[in-house]
C-alpha cells in the first residue's frame, strides 16, 4: 500500500471544493489548480495550495496534461484526483500518471480504455452476458454504411458518439430522410468535443427511464454496487434531477440490475468509483446496458446521502491499494435523497446558457439540505465552462417529505443578477406526475409547458413592480440631504401621482403611487393597492400590501431589477428610461450571436445561396453547440464571424440579402 499525503485536484468549481473537503477530513494536503477565469473562485481559497496554470479556455489550463503533470511534480503531489469531465476519463492521462509515478484516483487505464469507446463497451458487455440495446457498433464509419445500418435497425434510432458523454454527438432520428444530415452533424460535434467522430447506432426506446447503479471496486478483485439513482429527468441528454431510490424500483428489479452492474464491473476488473447506466423500457419491463462512466458522477451526493458513505474517501482508499471496507450485504439505503441542478440558463429561450455576475446567492437553513456550489455572491459565470451554478441536495425520511423540503428550498433560495432555471426546477417538483413518479426521459418535452413557466401571473408582475418601486424610493430617501421636511415626491397638485415604467419581456407596465402620512397608495392597471413599507435595506424590503406582509429580495444591475419572493418566484424587470434612448441600429438581413460564444465553424461563404433552415454558423457556449440557421431564403452578402474567435451576445455574425 502506498499512502497518499497530498492530492492535486485537476478540476475546478464545486467538484474541486468537494474533493478538498474530504482531503481535509482525512488529513491530506489539497492542491488546487486554477485558470485566469477562476482566479478568485471559492475552491482556490479553500485549498491548502493553489497554482495558476493558464488562460481561461480549458485547452490552455484544465485540459493541458503537461501543465497538470508539471504542477503535480513541482508541488510534490502523491496523487491526482480528476473529478469529472476534463481529464477524468482520458486513458492517455491515466497512463501518463502511472509513468510519472503519480497515483491516479480513478479506475485502471485498461478499464477506462475499454469503456472509452461505446462500441467496444457494448461488445464487451455482450461477451459477459450483460443485456445491451440492439444496434450497430462496427468499425466501418462511412456515412453510407451508417445510413444503411440505421435503416436496418428501424426508426427511430439514436446516434451516439463513442467517446465522451454529456449529450454531445447525440441525435435522435425519426425517419430515413434526415439520417445522413444527422450523422454528419453528430460526427462533427463529436470530433469538436472529443477529437473522435466514431458513432454507434442504437434502437431508440421511446418510453424509457434512465437508471444508473453506482459501482465500486478495489485492486483485490472485489466489486459491489452502491444502489441506484433515477436520472430520467433530462433535457438535451443532460440530467436535471436525480433521486434515490428510483420510484419504480422493487427488490427483485434492484437485485437483477445490481447483479448486471457488478457483472459489468468484474468484466473490467474495475478498481475505483464508477457508474453503470441502464435504460429501462417502461413498455416491456426490460433493461439494457448503456455505458459505464469511469469516474465519479455529478450526482454522487444522492448516493452518499442515502447510504452515509463518503465516495471520495472510498476512491482515495482504493487508489492507495486498500481493499473495500464494506461488502454488498453492508449496503443499505436509508430514507430518500433528491438532487436538482441549478443552471445559468434561460428556460424561455430553449435553455440557452447565460453569462454574467451573480450579485447575490443565499439559501435557507433547512435540515437535510446539502448545497455543492462553485459560486458565491459576486461570482461570474463565464462562457468557458459548464453553466451549472449549484447542486442542491435534500435528504429526508420519505420521498414526499424530501420533495416538500426541496420545494421550500427552491422557493426561498436567492440567486439574483442573471437568469437561472430556478422556477423551472420548482415547476417540475410541483408537477403531479413527477410527484407520483410517473415520468420517463421525455418528461420535460411532453409534460411541461416551458412558455407557461416563463410567464408570470399579473399579480406576480404587479407585486414585483411594487417591490422594485419601493426599493428605488427607499434608496432615494436614504440619499436625500435637503428639504427633508417635505414629503417624498411632493406635488403642488396631489392628483399628479409619481410613477415608474417597467418592461417585463415584451410587456410594458406603469406603476403609479402616492405617498402620504407614512403610507403608499399604488395604482397598477385598474387596481389600487394600499401599501406600507415595513422595513428595508440595500438588498431587501418588507412590505404590507392589502394587509398582507411580504418579504422581497431585490438586487439592481443597471436598469434591471431582480426581484425574488417565495410566492412569485424570480422576476426580472427592466426600468425604462424617462427619456427615450436611441436604440442600436438593426442590420437588415443580419444574424447575431444569441449569447456569448466561441465560433466553431462557418458553414457558408460569401455569395452562397441558402435556403430557409440551412445552417450558417456553428457556435459553442458553456460546452454546448448550437447552429444558427437561415430564417429565409437568400444569398450570403458579408461574413464577420471568424472560426475560433470568442464573441459577445449580439455580435453580428453575417449579413444576407434576399
Amino acid at each position: 500500500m502506498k499512502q497518499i499525503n497530498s492530492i492535486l485536484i485537476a478540476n475546478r468549481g464545486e467538484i474541486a471544493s468537494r474533493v478538498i473537503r474530504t482531503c481535509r477530513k482525512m488529513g491530506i494536503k489539497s492542491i488546487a489548480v486554477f485558470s485566469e477565469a477562476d482566479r478568485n473562485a471559492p475552491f482556490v481559497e479553500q485549498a491548502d495550495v493553489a497554482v495558476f496554470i493558464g488562460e481561461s479556455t480549458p485547452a490552455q489550463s484544465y485540459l493541458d496534461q503537461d501543465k497538470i503533470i508539471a504542477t503535480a511534480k513541482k508541488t510534490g503531489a502523491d496523487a491526482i484526483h480528476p473529478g469529472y469531465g476534463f481529464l477524468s476519463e482520458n486513458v492517455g492521462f491515466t497512463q501518463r500518471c502511472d509513468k510519472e509515478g503519480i497515483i491516479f484516483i480513478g479506475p485502471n487505464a485498461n478499464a477506462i480504455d475499454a469503456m472509452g469507446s461505446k462500441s467496444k463497451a457494448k461488445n464487451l458487455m455482450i461477451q459477459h452476458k450483460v443485456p445491451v440495446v440492439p444496434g450497430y457498433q462496427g468499425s466501418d464509419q462511412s456515412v453510407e454504411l451508417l445510413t444503411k445500418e440505421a435503416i436496418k435497425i428501424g426508426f427511430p434510432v439514436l446516434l451516439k458518439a463513442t467517446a465522451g458523454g454529456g449529450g454531445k454527438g447525440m441525435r435522435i432520428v425519426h425517419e430515413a430522410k434526415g439520417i445522413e444530415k444527422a450523422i454528419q452533424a453528430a460526427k462533427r460535434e463529436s470530433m469538436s468535443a472529443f477529437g473522435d467522430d466514431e458513432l454507434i447506432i442504437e434502437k431508440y426506446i421511446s418510453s424509457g427511464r434512465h437508471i444508473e447503479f453506482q459501482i465500486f471496486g478495489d485492486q483485490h478483485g472485489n466489486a459491489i454496487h452502491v444502489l441506484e439513482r433515477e436520472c430520467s429527468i433530462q433535457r438535451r441528454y443532460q440530467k436535471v434531477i436525480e433521486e434515490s431510490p428510483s420510484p419504480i424500483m422493487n427488490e427483485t428489479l434492484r437485485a437483477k440490475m445490481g447483479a448486471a452492474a457488478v457483472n459489468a464491473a468484474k468484466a473490467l476488473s474495475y478498481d475505483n468509483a464508477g457508474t453503470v447506466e441502464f435504460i429501462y423500457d417502461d413498455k416491456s419491463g426490460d433493461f439494457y446496458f448503456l455505458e459505464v462512466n469511469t469516474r465519479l458522477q455529478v450526482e454522487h451526493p444522492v448516493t452518499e446521502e442515502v447510504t452515509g458513505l463518503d465516495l471520495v474517501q472510498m476512491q482515495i482508499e482504493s487508489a492507495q491499494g486498500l481493499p473495500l471496507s464494506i461488502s454488498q450485504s453492508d449496503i443499505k439505503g436509508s430514507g430518500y435523497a433528491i438532487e436538482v441542478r441549478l443552471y445559468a440558463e434561460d428556460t424561455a429561450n430553449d435553455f440557452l446558457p447565460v453569462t454574467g455576475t451573480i450579485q447575490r446567492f443565499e439559501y435557507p437553513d433547512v435540515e437535510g439540505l446539502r448545497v455543492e456550489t462553485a459560486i458565491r455572491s459576486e461570482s461570474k459565470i463565464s462562457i468557458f465552462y459548464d453553466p451549472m451554478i449549484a447542486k442542491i441536495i435534500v435528504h429526508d425520511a420519505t420521498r414526499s417529505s424530501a420533495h416538500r423540503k426541496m420545494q421550500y428550498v427552491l422557493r426561498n433560495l436567492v440567486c439574483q443578477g442573471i437568469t437561472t432555471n430556478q422556477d423551472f426546477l420548482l415547476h417540475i417538483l410541483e408537477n403531479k406526475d413527477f410527484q407520483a413518479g410517473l415520468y420517463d426521459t421525455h418528461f420535460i418535452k411532453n409534460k411541461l409547458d416551458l412558455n407557461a413557466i416563463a410567464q408570470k401571473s399579473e399579480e406576480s408582475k404587479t407585486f414585483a413592480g411594487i417591490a422594485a418601486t419601493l426599493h428605488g424610493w427607499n434608496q432615494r430617501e436614504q440619499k436625500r440631504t435637503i428639504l427633508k421636511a417635505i414629503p417624498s415626491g411632493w406635488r403642488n397638485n396631489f392628483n399628479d401621482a409619481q410613477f415608474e415604467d417597467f418592461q417585463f419581456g415584451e410587456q410594458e407596465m406603469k406603476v403609479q403611487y402616492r405617498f402620504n402620512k407614512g403610507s403608499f397608495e399604488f395604482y397598477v392597471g385598474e387596481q389600487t393597492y394600499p401599501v406600507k413599507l415595513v422595513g428595508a435595506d440595500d438588498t431587501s424590503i418588507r412590505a404590507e400590501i392589502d394587509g398582507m406582509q411580504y418579504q422581497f429580495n431585490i438586487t439592481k444591475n443597471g436598469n434591471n431589477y431582480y426581484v425574488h419572493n417565495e410566492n412569485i418566484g424570480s422576476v426580472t424587470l427592466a426600468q425604462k428610461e424617462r427619456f427615450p434612448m436611441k436604440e442600436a441600429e438593426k442590420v437588415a438581413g443580419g444574424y447575431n450571436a444569441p449569447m456569448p460564444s466561441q465560433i466553431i465553424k462557418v458553414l457558408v461563404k460569401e455569395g452562397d445561396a441558402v435556403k430557409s433552415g440551412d445552417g450558417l454558423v456553428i457556435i459553442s457556449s458553456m460546452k454546448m453547440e448550437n447552429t444558427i440557421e437561415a430564417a429565409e431564403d437568400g444569398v450570403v452578402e458579408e461574413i464577420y464571424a471568424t472560426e475560433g474567435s470568442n464573441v459577445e451576445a449580439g455580435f453580428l455574425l453575417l449579413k444576407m440579402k434576399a
Side-chain angles (χ1 to χ4, degrees):
M1 186 194 91
K2 182 177 180 181
Q3 184 165 300
I4 294 175
N5 296 308
S6 59
I7 295 174
L8 182 145
I9 303 153
N11 217 296
R12 62 177 297 279
E14 58 87 15
I15 187 58
S17 295
R18 167 69 190 89
V19 176
I20 290 168
R21 194 163 66 243
T22 289
C23 285
R24 187 174 297 123
K25 181 176 78 170
M26 297 178 70
I28 294 173
K29 178 181 178 181
S30 60
I31 303 162
V33 292
F34 63 92
S35 70
E36 184 61 45
D38 285 332
R39 189 175 290 277
N40 298 313
F43 77 92
V44 177
E45 297 178 10
Q46 293 161 0
D48 295 313
V49 177
V51 182
F52 174 69
I53 57 166
E55 296 304 312
S56 302
T57 55
Q60 295 176 285
S61 51
Y62 301 109
L63 287 173
D64 191 320
Q65 296 186 30
D66 291 339
K67 290 179 180 176
I68 298 291
I69 294 292
T71 303
K73 296 176 79 171
K74 178 181 177 181
T75 56
D78 298 316
I80 291 177
H81 195 300
Y84 49 74
F86 294 136
L87 296 171
S88 62
E89 296 178 283
N90 186 305
V91 67
F93 181 67
T94 308
Q95 293 169 335
R96 189 164 176 185
C97 287
D98 291 342
K99 183 179 178 181
E100 298 285 352
I102 302 169
I103 297 172
F104 179 81
I105 301 178
N108 62 80
N110 290 334
I112 296 176
D113 184 48
M115 293 297 103
S117 165
K118 291 181 176 63
S119 57
K120 292 179 182 177
K122 282 191 72 174
N123 288 328
L124 182 63
M125 292 303 119
I126 291 170
Q127 295 171 23
H128 287 81
K129 312 299 183 189
V130 178
V132 301
V133 180
Y136 172 77
Q137 54 273 349
S139 58
D140 189 334
Q141 287 288 302
S142 67
V143 174
E144 293 76 18
L145 182 75
L146 290 174
T147 299
K148 289 179 182 178
E149 290 294 334
I151 294 171
K152 186 189 299 182
I153 293 166
F155 295 93
V157 297
L158 178 64
L159 307 177
K160 294 170 66 174
T162 63
K168 296 174 183 63
M170 294 182 71
R171 297 287 190 282
I172 300 170
V173 187
H174 292 278
E175 52 188 354
K177 71 177 184 180
I179 186 65
E180 287 191 31
K181 184 178 179 181
I183 289 170
Q184 291 165 350
K187 278 180 166 292
R188 184 176 59 246
E189 187 172 86
S190 178
M191 179 60 75
S192 173
F194 313 118
D196 185 344
D197 68 352
E198 184 181 352
L199 302 178
I200 65 172
I201 308 175
E202 293 180 339
K203 178 67 179 174
Y204 182 64
I205 296 172
S206 58
S207 179
R209 302 177 77 111
H210 187 144
I211 298 176
E212 62 186 29
F213 272 71
Q214 177 73 53
I215 57 170
F216 230 100
D218 62 23
Q219 297 172 16
H220 305 275
N222 301 306
I224 61 173
H225 75 77
V226 193
L227 306 180
E228 82 281 354
R229 296 184 289 257
E230 170 83 56
C231 307
S232 300
I233 303 297
Q234 304 176 4
R235 53 106 182 97
R236 288 179 175 165
Y237 309 108
Q238 295 275 10
K239 299 163 189 173
V240 177
I241 295 179
E242 300 94 1
E243 51 184 340
S244 184
S246 165
I248 66 158
M249 194 58 64
N250 56 53
E251 288 306 317
T252 300
L253 181 59
R254 181 177 288 116
K256 288 181 179 179
M257 295 183 79
V262 171
N263 199 19
K266 289 183 176 179
L268 295 165
S269 299
Y270 207 82
D271 58 347
N272 209 269
T275 305
V276 181
E277 300 196 356
F278 297 101
I279 185 76
Y280 174 85
D281 190 334
D282 278 336
K283 294 178 180 178
S284 68
D286 296 325
F287 64 89
Y288 304 100
F289 169 86
L290 286 178
E291 61 183 325
V292 176
N293 291 303
T294 54
R295 53 173 166 78
L296 197 66
Q297 289 281 83
V298 176
E299 58 273 18
H300 76 274
V302 171
T303 297
E304 292 186 328
E305 290 301 313
V306 295
T307 63
L309 299 172
D310 184 333
L311 297 184
V312 175
Q313 180 174 340
M314 290 174 65
Q315 281 191 294
I316 296 170
E317 290 171 348
S318 289
Q320 290 182 129
L322 292 170
L324 288 174
S325 59
I326 53 175
S327 63
Q328 192 64 66
S329 60
D330 297 323
I331 303 297
K332 306 292 182 185
S334 175
Y336 170 87
I338 181 171
E339 173 181 299
V340 304
R341 302 188 188 187
L342 183 69
Y343 280 100
E345 63 185 16
D346 189 350
T347 303
N349 193 17
D350 196 28
F351 295 102
L352 285 181
V354 175
T355 61
T357 300
I358 296 177
Q359 295 178 300
R360 187 177 180 192
F361 182 68
E362 299 173 2
Y363 46 87
D365 183 11
V366 174
E367 185 179 353
L369 172 65
R370 170 177 171 179
V371 178
E372 303 278 357
T373 185
I375 66 97
R376 57 192 170 197
S377 297
E378 301 302 324
S379 288
K380 295 184 184 300
I381 304 297
S382 76
I383 70 169
F384 300 106
Y385 312 118
D386 188 275
M388 188 169 67
I389 296 169
K391 302 183 309 195
I392 304 165
I393 306 101
V394 166
H395 177 254
D396 209 65
T398 66
R399 187 171 187 265
S400 60
S401 62
H403 279 200
R404 182 175 63 232
K405 280 189 175 182
M406 183 63 82
Q407 290 181 50
Y408 180 88
V409 171
L410 289 172
R411 290 192 185 101
N412 290 278
L413 180 143
V414 179
C415 186
Q416 294 179 315
I418 62 173
T419 302
T420 76
N421 68 336
Q422 183 176 345
D423 288 349
F424 166 67
L425 295 172
L426 180 59
H427 192 77
I428 295 175
L429 266 292
E430 292 174 338
N431 182 278
K432 298 300 182 184
D433 285 339
F434 177 76
Q435 291 173 1
L438 302 174
Y439 58 80
D440 60 16
T441 54
H442 305 296
F443 174 82
I444 290 175
K445 179 181 178 182
N446 295 340
K447 295 289 187 177
L448 300 184
D449 183 350
L450 300 181
N451 291 325
I453 296 171
Q455 298 302 315
K456 294 290 182 180
S457 68
E458 290 304 315
E459 183 180 76
S460 294
K461 288 180 281 190
T462 294
F463 278 28
I466 290 173
T469 302
L470 284 174
H471 182 269
W473 179 91
N474 183 67
Q475 294 291 302
R476 292 191 297 273
E477 281 295 288
Q478 300 305 311
K479 295 176 182 177
R480 286 179 69 188
T481 58
I482 60 173
L483 301 176
K484 285 196 168 186
I486 297 177
S488 171
W490 181 85
R491 304 286 199 275
N492 57 8
N493 180 359
F494 184 72
N495 292 321
D496 189 12
Q498 296 185 77
F499 70 92
E500 294 289 351
D501 285 328
F502 296 103
Q503 192 91 18
F504 177 82
E506 299 297 319
Q507 179 185 349
E508 294 185 2
M509 179 172 64
K510 183 181 285 292
V511 178
Q512 297 178 289
Y513 66 98
R514 294 188 179 91
F515 178 72
N516 186 34
K517 297 180 179 178
S519 295
F520 294 84
E521 194 167 71
F522 275 82
Y523 317 97
V524 184
E526 302 297 319
Q527 299 295 314
T528 301
Y529 301 87
V531 176
K532 293 182 181 296
L533 182 58
V534 179
D537 57 30
D538 287 342
T539 59
S540 66
I541 64 166
R542 188 166 189 85
E544 183 179 306
I545 305 174
D546 259 351
M548 291 279 291
Q549 287 197 10
Y550 302 90
Q551 182 77 19
F552 297 93
N553 298 291
I554 303 175
T555 60
K556 189 181 182 188
N557 184 11
N559 286 342
N560 284 341
Y561 274 100
Y562 299 91
V563 183
H564 178 268
N565 168 270
E566 65 171 328
N567 296 312
I568 69 173
S570 298
V571 179
T572 302
L573 297 172
Q575 185 179 28
K576 296 183 68 177
E577 296 285 351
R578 291 298 176 93
F579 301 100
M581 300 286 287
K582 183 179 179 181
E583 291 189 9
E585 182 180 353
K586 293 185 178 179
V587 176
Y591 287 79
N592 301 79
M595 54 191 165
S597 314
Q598 183 179 45
I599 308 299
I600 299 300
K601 190 174 183 62
V602 179
L603 302 174
V604 293
K605 302 186 300 295
E606 291 181 2
D608 282 357
V610 298
K611 297 288 186 181
S612 176
D614 285 353
L616 302 174
V617 181
I618 301 173
I619 61 175
S620 176
S621 183
M622 297 175 172
K623 299 164 64 177
M624 183 59 66
E625 184 181 292
N626 289 279
T627 300
I628 307 298
E629 297 179 343
E632 57 186 358
D633 297 354
V635 176
V636 179
E637 188 174 7
E638 293 181 83
I639 297 175
Y640 308 103
T642 303
E643 291 183 7
S645 63
N646 296 317
V647 299
E648 292 298 319
F651 178 86
L652 181 62
L653 301 170
L654 57 79
K655 190 167 64 170
M656 285 177 51
K657 60 183 177 181

